[in-house]
Amino acid sequence: MVKTFTGKAKELWNTWDIRVFVLVSLFFQTVLIFAASLRKRNASAFLGSVIWLFYLAADWVAIFAIGLISKAQDASSPSSSCNPHQNYDLLVLWAPFLLLHLGGPDAITALALEDNTLWKRHLLQFCTQVGSTLYVFYQAFSTKKLWLWLVILFMSIAGTIKYAERTLSLYLASLDRFRDSLLTDPDPGPNYAKLMDEFSSRKEANLPTEFDLRAENEEGDFDFEAGNHDEGGDDDDHCKLEELDYVNMVQEAYGFFVRFRGLIVDLIFSFKERNDSRNFFLKFETKDAEKAFEIIEIELNFMHDIFYTKVVLKEQLHVLKDHLNIYYLRVPCLCLIIAALTVFEIKERRNYSGVEVVITYILIGGAIALDTYALFKLYLSEWTIATQREREKKTKDKWSAGYWLCELAIGIRCLLRRFPIKLRFLQRRWSETISQYNILDYCLREHPGGCMKCFYCIGCEDMITGCRYVKTKKYTSPMRDFIFEELRTKSKRAVSPEITKNICSARGNWVLPFSIFINLREWILDVDYDESLLLWHIATEILYNLERNANDEDDDMSCCVHCLTCYCFKKKTTWESNIKLDYAECSRIFSNYMVYLLLRQTTMMSAVADIAQIRFQDTCAEAKKFIARVGLESVDKKKRLKELCKKIKAVDTFIKPEEVKGDKSKSVLFDACRLAKELEKLEGDKWEMICKVWAELLSYAAIRCKPESHVQMLSKGGELISLVWLMMAHLGLGEQFRINKGTARAKLLVGK
């Protein structure tokens, strides 16, 4: 009985193994090509897990299927389902399709930034799989059917091109190669040794000699002070603000991307570049913050495409950029697949029947459909709009077919943006959500036990914590306008390198009045950044929960319903445009977001994190101990956080906790309580000041994160801190601008 069942199972496997795997491979490619574009606009962990699974499984399935086809050549095997006289020819025909699948969709070449670094591994895999396909192609010659190996030849060429594109894209997008592509030729400067030898010899001859120092008129030569203007002047290279429509915003973003992509690999820039960018963005008022940030979002989108898609071929290879076009690679592949379909349709397909013929048509049809979709998606992308200005400068022939094809693409793109019923989810360029992680809420919640501890043992603690304790809030237009106004105000005051450095190093002291700052100094500058952030987070949470009324929850709920409508359908209302920023709510959102970055995105915040994890653990331990002592079990779960804040604030903190407990424990719980009591004494709109402090803490971290960490987050829905980082760079707030005087040329003048 068992042997009979085993024999039938083995026979079923031998009959359907190759068929199933080639169809599964096609299914994976279909899912990836549609899901890949969603990952940059959705921060969902579930979507990320699905893409991760399909990305890794797609290569494995295709490679395994090629191996099965190679093995199936042994027609003498009694257990083989492949009869070389009937259907083995079609199985051989499937191998090039699997090579095409290994080339992957254009929309996702790398799952993470580290995949680009591992391009050598993919190169080895490319060589082995092309070799396997060539072996299968060699076996096709034994059939003596010219049409069959002609079809295989067409598909093998198309598959090799696509697979080579993927491998080359990974190589070009690796950080080392990307940095090398942006470096200019070495500049030794003037011959200092020769000049000084001549000077010394003339001095020894008692000839009156002096230096005539003159700076070269190079692009990098620019005076910092002369280039600073409060509102910025009009520049012929930029579009006027009143003429800034969608097309111009894309072209402006592309121009900034080309000039400032060196930010990703820590290159330095001249003050001329700094002031050109700064003057352009200073032209935007607070009411124009949406346009300013849309330019930033488009530029980040270009960064995403360079590192995670095949667009890097067009940008990095000067041959493709100046003489050909990326479309010239995509169109031949599609034509080869169509030619293969034509030959297969005309010739001896009637000699075959059954499932293999159906699967062959599915593979060919799927390949044509996916390549056509990829071609049109690239054609209608913002890259076409971005490069149109350069195309206009290079050619005066506006009657060429290429020019009008690009104009048609731009028209279609603009028409789609004005479609009356359009989901904002499909239009946005990042998730437009702000992740929230609250320490006191974390301490109040019951931690998983029982079988859930098994997941902790196998390394899933981080994933479970993220699902249970990390929430999201919508990124609203009042928040955007507030951030832009804060950065714009600082940029206008950054009139010298020294002032700029002081602004960039501020952690709350720049926005607070001096009299208030003196009282709060010990929680701002006298502590490390990570400790200051945790202190302000708990203090903000205490004040927020104690000052908020119960009716606020109902107001927030109605607000969320309205926001959800605007979030799903991109339409502007008078209410949305005129709503005022709730500083208390905004402060709490920024507070929870910064703690999320500090504790959950440790790689991104490594430059400022210090011993944040130790402080977090000690603070949680003290908070849980305090909760157990005061007893909150009888309190309703929805009111426990507010009650906990009351209990914490009621503790007498006249003596500093450090003087009572010592400094072994790094808990900041009751130090934050002392800060909350000081903030409560502030006169005027204290929440506005607290909100400005949080904006400054955000900007402080933004320019200190490693640039590649911002790029890493682009494939995971993006982060608000990445927008702040790039906006600060364009407003001249950063330490990457170091070329001021340029190259000087000295001449020796001999007196009479």
Side-chain angles (χ1 to χ4, degrees), residues 546-557:
L546 294 183
E547 295 189 8
R548 281 282 160 164
N549 296 323
N551 294 332
D552 289 345
E553 296 181 2
D554 298 333
D555 295 338
D556 291 342
M557 183 60 66

Side-chain angles (χ1 to χ4, degrees), residues 724-742:
V724 174
W725 162 70
L726 193 55
M727 178 63 78
M728 291 181 69
H730 285 314
L731 285 171
L733 300 174
E735 299 178 356
Q736 61 273 3
F737 304 101
R738 302 181 185 179
I739 304 175
N740 191 6
K741 296 181 179 180

Side-chain angles (χ1 to χ4, degrees), residues 25-43:
S25 179
L26 178 62
F27 171 71
F28 282 176
Q29 295 301 312
T30 305
V31 172
L32 282 175
I33 198 171
F34 288 105
S37 60
L38 299 179
R39 64 176 184 158
K40 65 182 179 182
R41 58 174 65 102
N42 193 310

